[in-house]
Amino acid sequence: MKTFFSGKAWVYSDNVDTDVIIPARYLITSDEKSLAKYCMEDIDETFASSVLKGDIIVAGNNFGCGSSREHAPLSIKGSGISCVIAKSFARIFYRNAINIGLPILECAELDGISKGDIIEIDLSKGSITNKTKCETYHAKPFPEFLQELIAVGGLVPYVRARLAEKKAC
Amino acid sequence: MSMTLAEAIIAKHTKDRVEPGTICQVNVDFAFANDITAPPAIKEFRKMGAIKVFDPMRCAILPDHFSPAKDIASAEQIKECRTFANEQGLLFWDVGRVGVEHAFLHENGLVLPGEIILGADSHTCTHGAMGALATGVGSTDLAAAWALGETWLRVPETMKVSFEGTPSEWVCGKDMILALIGKIGVEGARYMALEFHGEALAELDLDDRFTLSNMAIEAGAKTGLINPDEKLLKYANERAARSFVPLFADKNANYAKSILIDVTNMEPQVAMPHTPDNVKAVSEVTGMPIDQVFIGSCTNGRLSDLRMAAKILKGKKIHKNTRLMIIPASYEVYRAAMNEGLFDIFLDAEATISTPSCGPCLGGHLGILAAEERCVSTSNRNFVGRMGSSKSEVILASPMVAAASAVAGHICHPREIV
């Protein structure tokens, strides 16, 4: 799994909900590339057309609140975003992102990041470097069980292994 | 150790140590998805190499969001659900039988006290009113639960919310939960469980309790629990599809936080655009013109909700510049409302009555908003673009405020209409 990312920052405020990440009118597919065309449309019309592969979303508190739609992290992943960093995540979005393999980090000190800043992220160290402003921030480590889940490649390989164990018993 | 209700339920379902913040592997009693979240879950279920769901009588798909199919793409999604359900022999109900998932499941005794319920829908927390630890997850988590009959849960800290006092006749469960969300904010209970208590709670009928638990997610909570009482256990026993053992919080349980809401002098509450914590007393916004009213959803589409609306609408017509969409949440509610004569009141008032569905709540169909339109809705979210155009507005309110506003053509207190 890739653990180093570099890209420009797309900065959003607190409480970005999954209805604006991907409006329900587009939930007639779960294909991430199809969903990506409309990602963030209702709060940022420029996002889907201008986002570049590797870019990073930087957000405030409670990112991904509201609906449980996994289409939200899927649309972000499909758009080419390499990682979402936020002061905090809503709990269903947090689980969904880990499950579908969209890298996320929680970090309290993100106020210094402006739109367009070049950000480098080292997932293995949990470090976030703002190359534009020459600052480094440190992310909150994942709980042990989630580190294991991420290390095996997410929930799908984890369940596949558990099912094989059950069969062997 | 003394336990909150969330802790007691998790402890019954795990071998792991249970205390707030720890992660436990738990058995799941029931796991369901809807027509939007099931297709991705089916895809992940196959990727996991799973062949059969853990127990077909404890796994369900309820096509309620874009059903009856609103277009070809939705029809394809529902068809995929139907095919998978047939293949697995799991529980599935088509239109004509199914209702809005969070009303249909408790009516049919499929979510029961003391259980752990996972739903691929954020409003799964509604079933906390049954005394079940019911929580929303995404499609991949749901697929894992279908495959294994297990999931992982972080034991939540619990916030105790006590509703005390006696409300006026114009105040119901919806006003109580909006008041709480206004007080603690949309992330006030993030990662936590809410546990509702108090004399005003004990007086509420079950429909109003479902409304309370339904909106726990709007404060960021994992679930909104209510300890079973005689009223709830009677309902559960009459309907239970399987045996169950109710669980209760210990008297001296440890709560991370306690909140008191006095309902005695509470006015009806409304949540203004575009966030459920932008809560005001109805008198602060009286007179604001509206274009549409929606009464329904997993929040307020039950029989008592329709009765409250009918009480206001009886003998009146809605304002000429307003349209009123009423959607009973299930066929049980639909038939009961029809038999009680509520449909005559609604039709005389010139409302539309649609078949059970989530309808316009999430901007699906049956009443979508155009740009610059404003809707008073009994549903649970008023995010930007939630019910249609990103330039429309949604105001959340009780069935009484919604019905009164439909008659007035602007937001108003129900006592001004009756």
Side-chain angles (χ1 to χ4, degrees):
Chain A
M1 191 179 112
K2 211 176 151 194
T3 58
F4 184 84
F5 309 108
S6 175
K8 68 175 193 309
W10 292 81
V11 178
Y12 299 100
S13 58
D14 292 343
N15 304 319
V16 172
D17 61 75
T18 54
D19 271 85
V20 296
I21 296 172
I22 185 72
R25 57 187 177 272
Y26 301 123
L27 303 184
I28 46 172
T29 172
S30 50
D31 173 62
E32 62 183 51
K33 290 281 169 212
S34 312
L35 292 165
K37 288 187 273 184
Y38 313 107
C39 186
M40 296 291 186
E41 179 180 278
D42 283 355
I43 51 162
D44 184 353
E45 286 175 356
T46 67
F47 178 84
S49 55
S50 319
V51 64
L52 296 176
K53 197 169 164 50
D55 283 357
I56 286 158
I57 286 179
V58 179
N61 281 306
N62 205 25
F63 185 84
C65 61
S67 157
S68 66
R69 60 190 70 163
E70 207 159 281
H71 311 68
L74 283 172
S75 72
I76 293 174
K77 193 173 168 217
S79 75
I81 285 286
S82 61
C83 185
V84 182
I85 51 180
K87 288 185 185 170
S88 64
F89 291 92
R91 55 166 287 276
I92 305 178
F93 185 93
Y94 181 90
R95 290 180 75 121
N96 286 348
I98 292 169
N99 289 344
I100 66 143
L102 171 69
I104 55 169
L105 284 178
E106 250 181 15
C107 174
E109 31 181 2
L110 298 175
D111 290 330
I113 301 178
S114 313
K115 189 179 176 186
D117 284 359
I118 300 299
I119 306 295
E120 282 183 4
I121 292 173
D122 187 339
L123 275 190
S124 59
K125 294 186 191 140
S127 68
I128 300 160
T129 305
N130 186 337
K131 297 298 278 182
T132 308
K133 302 217 170 92
C134 300
E135 290 172 346
T136 297
Y137 325 106
H138 295 282
K140 196 169 142 189
F142 286 102
E144 202 177 325
F145 172 70
L146 290 184
Q147 288 181 23
E148 286 166 26
L149 198 61
I150 295 165
V152 300
L155 192 61
V156 171
Y158 171 84
V159 174
R160 201 183 297 128
R162 287 285 313 278
L163 286 172
E165 268 170 41
K166 283 197 172 184
K167 213 172 166 186
C169 288
Chain B
M1 194 185 99
S2 296
M3 291 189 173
T4 66
L5 184 50
E7 291 159 8
I9 296 172
I10 292 174
K12 253 283 182 334
H13 288 78
T14 189
K15 293 184 189 123
D16 298 329
R17 188 171 54 95
V18 176
E19 59 181 60
T22 58
I23 288 178
C24 294
Q25 300 295 328
V26 299
N27 297 321
V28 172
D29 294 298
F30 194 75
F32 65 97
N34 60 50
D35 51 312
I36 291 178
T37 59
I42 295 165
K43 194 159 82 182
E44 299 307 309
F45 182 82
R46 307 247 193 251
K47 274 204 248 166
M48 288 164 183
I51 309 293
K52 293 298 278 178
V53 296
F54 76 100
D55 180 344
M57 289 301 105
R58 291 173 182 268
C59 297
I61 301 177
L62 300 94
D64 58 354
H65 277 54
F66 292 166
S67 80
K70 75 183 177 84
D71 51 26
I72 297 166
S74 312
E76 294 291 348
Q77 290 196 140
I78 298 168
K79 185 176 160 194
E80 194 184 342
C81 297
R82 196 180 288 122
T83 305
F84 181 74
N86 283 338
E87 169 202 305
Q88 293 288 326
L90 56 74
L91 300 169
F92 177 88
W93 306 264
D94 234 312
V95 287
R97 293 181 281 270
V98 78
V100 173
E101 52 193 330
H102 309 306
F104 180 87
L105 289 174
H106 63 72
E107 281 175 355
N108 288 278
L110 289 161
V111 290
L112 293 159
E115 293 191 332
I116 289 184
I117 310 290
L118 279 200
D121 188 280
S122 61
H123 289 104
T124 301
C125 56
T126 311
H127 310 290
M130 291 293 294
L133 193 136
T135 192
V137 292
S139 297
T140 304
D141 267 320
L142 200 272
W146 275 348
L148 297 171
E150 294 169 22
T151 194
W152 65 270
L153 289 180
R154 181 188 165 279
V155 180
E157 290 80 15
T158 299
M159 184 187 292
K160 180 179 183 180
V161 180
S162 303
F163 292 103
E164 302 295 352
T166 309
S168 82
E169 63 179 305
W170 309 114
V171 164
C172 60
K174 184 61 164 284
D175 305 294
M176 289 160 60
I177 190 66
L178 287 176
L180 174 70
I181 298 165
K183 189 167 175 159
I184 67 173
V186 289
E187 58 166 342
R190 196 167 44 85
Y191 295 136
M192 301 175 90
L194 296 175
E195 199 180 294
F196 300 116
H197 288 261
E199 58 185 8
L201 173 83
E203 291 301 315
L204 287 183
D205 67 26
L206 297 184
D207 287 358
D208 260 331
R209 297 184 193 182
F210 287 116
T211 305
L212 279 188
S213 295
N214 173 268
M215 289 190 75
I217 179 75
E218 267 56 71
K222 181 173 244 158
T223 190
L225 287 157
I226 301 178
N227 281 284
D229 63 359
E230 210 176 308
K231 220 185 293 189
L232 187 273
L233 290 174
K234 182 171 180 286
Y235 179 89
N237 280 317
E238 282 167 4
R239 291 164 184 258
R242 49 184 180 265
S243 63
F244 65 95
V245 180
L247 295 169
F248 306 88
D250 291 319
K251 287 267 176 292
N252 50 350
N254 281 321
Y255 294 98
K257 211 171 173 181
S258 293
I259 302 261
L260 172 77
I261 307 258
D262 188 346
V263 303
T264 301
N265 294 312
M266 186 183 281
E267 256 200 69
Q269 308 279 300
V270 292
M272 302 302 287
H274 288 285
T275 168
D277 62 1
N278 187 15
V279 174
K280 302 205 181 309
V282 72
S283 61
E284 294 178 69
V285 289
T286 297
M288 184 179 273
I290 57 167
D291 304 285
Q292 180 171 304
V293 172
F294 168 48
I295 298 176
S297 84
C298 58
T299 316
N300 280 124
R302 298 183 182 79
L303 187 59
S304 336
D305 300 313
L306 301 190
R307 283 178 183 155
M308 284 191 256
K311 189 173 91 177
I312 310 288
L313 291 168
K314 192 168 187 186
K316 299 191 179 60
K317 290 208 184 301
I318 61 168
H319 190 271
K320 64 179 172 48
N321 296 334
T322 305
R323 44 199 196 261
L324 170 57
M325 277 72 183
I326 297 178
I327 308 189
S330 71
Y331 288 98
E332 181 179 319
V333 174
Y334 192 100
R335 188 186 294 275
M338 189 170 66
N339 289 346
E340 279 185 24
L342 306 188
F343 281 13
D344 287 328
I345 295 172
F346 298 153
L347 293 171
D348 288 345
E350 296 174 347
T352 74
I353 305 166
S354 297
T355 194
S357 171
C358 300
C361 165
L362 75 159
H365 56 157
L366 302 171
I368 301 306
L369 301 173
E372 319 301 336
E373 286 192 327
R374 186 179 291 136
C375 177
V376 172
S377 174
T378 65
S379 57
N380 40 52
R381 291 191 176 129
N382 55 355
F383 300 146
V384 170
R386 173 75 180 177
M387 290 180 68
S389 167
S390 60
K391 295 185 178 66
S392 63
E393 290 186 349
V394 178
I395 294 164
L396 306 177
S398 74
M400 286 186 275
V401 170
S405 302
V407 173
H410 57 77
I411 298 175
C412 83
H413 194 299
R415 80 177 158 229
E416 289 173 33
I417 298 298
V418 174

